[in-house]
Amino acid sequence: MSRSAAASGGPRRPEQHLPPAPCGALGPPETSRTEPDGAGTMNKLRQSLRRRKPAYVPEASRPHQWQADEDAVRKGTCSFPVRYLGHVEVEESRGMHVCEDAVKKLKAMGRKSVKSVLWVSADGLRVVDDKTKDLLVDQTIEKVSFCAPDRNLDKAFSYICRDGTTRRWICHCFLALKDSGERLSHAVGCAFAACLERKQRREKECGVTAAFDASRTSFAREGSFRLSGGGRPAEREAADKKK
């Protein structure tokens, strides 16, 4: 026994040479699936043809469209394709949360909306059934107390008005088909502003004002168009002359 064998504690075993393992036997199993060349090429082609959506630009930064709407409102030719969701009674005369709750309530009812055309002018708001051409809503703009787009749905907007018979507050809700709720709400605000200007020119005393937000996408009416003196302006002037 040699010294090296004695130091290691025993005779050294001869080295064994193992045959090389077949390709793919060593290492962890492959987890990713390799697609054939044809499928990979098609995926790359789809990605190259896929168009990126343009960045969203809020309506407030597109005044050129709003200017055209304002001119059309004053001419009486402003219209928008919409889906009329319906109307519900509300407890308050203004508030974005009131309009948004009304939209949620109408959508939860499951009532079928009506494809219509909304006509906006200084005289009022008219909703015409696109199929039957029936007049669904004929709303004087003077009765509108609040109008605003929906903060949760980009296409939705609503307005609140006073019912002439029951004197209750009613909220009418819409979904725009091609435009945004901001644009439609802005057009209604333009109609109210045009109506107010016309009233102020005809009457010396007009206790109505409109409070618009910074982007002019919503407004709230202050005061009432009803004459406080209980008669027409000519009758009040005649009574003042007699006095």
Side-chain angles (χ1 to χ4, degrees):
M1 182 181 299
S2 62
R3 293 182 180 180
S4 58
S8 60
R12 181 180 296 178
R13 295 180 180 179
E15 295 180 358
Q16 297 180 358
H17 298 280
L18 299 176
C23 181
L26 299 179
E30 294 183 359
T31 57
S32 60
R33 297 176 60 185
T34 58
E35 298 181 351
D37 295 339
T41 305
M42 289 299 296
N43 289 336
K44 291 181 180 179
L45 183 60
R46 290 193 192 101
Q47 293 177 1
S48 62
L49 295 177
R50 188 179 299 166
R51 297 179 180 178
R52 294 183 179 180
K53 294 183 178 180
Y56 173 73
V57 180
E59 289 286 343
S61 62
R62 285 181 267 181
H64 61 283
Q65 292 181 342
W66 288 16
Q67 184 62 42
D69 293 342
E70 185 174 354
D71 297 339
V73 165
R74 296 182 180 274
K75 294 177 182 177
T77 60
C78 183
S79 64
F80 301 97
V82 297
R83 296 203 73 91
Y84 179 50
L85 299 179
H87 64 276
V88 292
E89 182 180 347
V90 293
E91 299 295 331
E92 302 177 55
S93 63
R94 67 196 63 199
M96 298 187 75
H97 64 285
V98 179
C99 295
E100 291 165 358
D101 291 343
V103 172
K104 292 178 182 178
K105 186 175 182 180
L106 287 170
K107 291 178 72 68
M109 288 180 181
R111 188 182 304 171
K112 187 177 180 181
S113 59
V114 182
K115 187 178 180 181
S116 314
V117 178
L118 172 66
W119 291 88
V120 184
S121 68
D123 296 324
L125 308 175
R126 292 176 176 85
V127 183
V128 180
D129 191 314
D130 188 50
K131 184 177 181 180
T132 64
K133 307 304 179 184
D134 293 336
L135 184 62
L136 303 179
V137 178
D138 190 3
Q139 176 69 57
T140 57
I141 200 70
E142 299 175 359
K143 298 291 184 180
V144 177
S145 63
F146 185 81
C147 180
D150 198 296
R151 293 172 294 186
N152 303 317
L153 298 173
D154 179 60
K155 298 288 186 179
F157 99 100
S158 311
Y159 73 85
I160 302 175
C161 64
R162 172 89 77 173
D163 185 83
T165 304
T166 62
R167 307 298 297 167
R168 296 177 178 176
W169 296 110
I170 305 296
C171 184
H172 294 262
C173 305
F174 303 84
L175 284 176
L177 294 180
K178 296 181 180 180
D179 305 283
S180 68
E182 291 180 347
R183 185 175 181 181
L184 272 64
S185 182
H186 173 264
V188 176
C190 292
F192 187 85
C195 175
L196 182 59
E197 291 175 6
R198 190 168 59 186
K199 277 281 187 179
Q200 289 173 345
R201 286 196 301 265
R202 290 188 304 188
E203 300 179 14
K204 296 180 180 179
E205 298 178 8
C206 185
V208 178
T209 58
F212 292 87
D213 66 343
S215 60
R216 297 187 69 84
T217 57
S218 64
F219 78 93
R221 187 191 69 195
E222 299 290 343
S224 174
F225 282 103
R226 299 180 65 185
L227 300 177
S228 58
R232 293 189 296 271
E235 295 176 355
R236 287 189 296 168
E237 290 179 3
D240 293 339
K241 289 181 181 180
K242 290 181 180 179
K243 291 180 181 179

